Amino acid sequence: QVQLVESGGGLVQAGGSLRLSCAASGRIFSINAMGWYRQAPGKQRELVATITSAGSSNYADSLKGRFTISRDNAKNTVYLQMDNLKPEDTAVYYCYARRRQGIVEYPHWGQGTQVTVSS
């Protein structure tokens, strides 16, 4: 089993910055990717960014240049640096981990952390 604990969410003014953290525990040896998704009220959960164990990252096109994902493998932690925040970034942000068990891969989710950007 994998447990994910997020931190760093809060209220910020438009144009400001936040840094989210997510620490993984449990069967972390089987995790091959981590990342962040977000969900606003009435909308589907959408990709923010992911990063593989090898360090390859992928971003939503609209967020490139403002958000940066990184990992600290020694601490089993993934980060999301969010700069130049906009009101449309307001959402619950969920940490994501992909775990491989044999030939099958399973998604794991954190509890979510609220990010609110005021105009």
Side-chain angles (χ1 to χ4, degrees), residues 52-89:
T52 68
S53 298
S56 178
S57 60
N58 177 258
Y59 297 87
D61 289 340
S62 62
L63 301 179
K64 289 183 178 179
R66 295 196 299 120
F67 289 13
T68 304
I69 191 169
S70 61
R71 296 186 70 175
D72 186 336
N73 290 331
K75 297 182 178 180
N76 302 309
T77 300
V78 64
Y79 304 94
L80 184 69
Q81 178 67 41
M82 303 184 292
D83 297 318
N84 192 24
L85 284 162
K86 303 176 180 180
E88 51 263 44
D89 295 320

Side-chain angles (χ1 to χ4, degrees), residues 2-9 20-26 28 31 34-36 75-79 93-97 108-113:
V2 174
Q3 296 82 45
L4 304 172
V5 180
E6 302 117 323
S7 62
L20 305 183
S21 300
C22 175
S25 62
I28 57 177
I31 296 174
M34 296 184 69
W36 296 90
K75 297 182 178 180
N76 302 309
T77 300
V78 64
Y79 304 94
Y93 284 69
Y94 294 92
C95 183
Y96 162 83
H108 296 272
W109 300 96
Q111 80 285 355
T113 183

Side-chain angles (χ1 to χ4, degrees), residues 15-33:
S17 299
L18 285 174
R19 182 178 174 86
L20 305 183
S21 300
C22 175
S25 62
R27 297 185 176 181
I28 57 177
F29 60 87
S30 61
I31 296 174
N32 57 30

Side-chain angles (χ1 to χ4, degrees), residues 8 29 40 46 48 51 65 72-73 84 91 99 104-106:
F29 60 87
E46 64 178 358
V48 176
I51 187 167
D72 186 336
N73 290 331
N84 192 24
R99 179 177 63 88
V104 183
E105 293 181 330
Y106 300 91

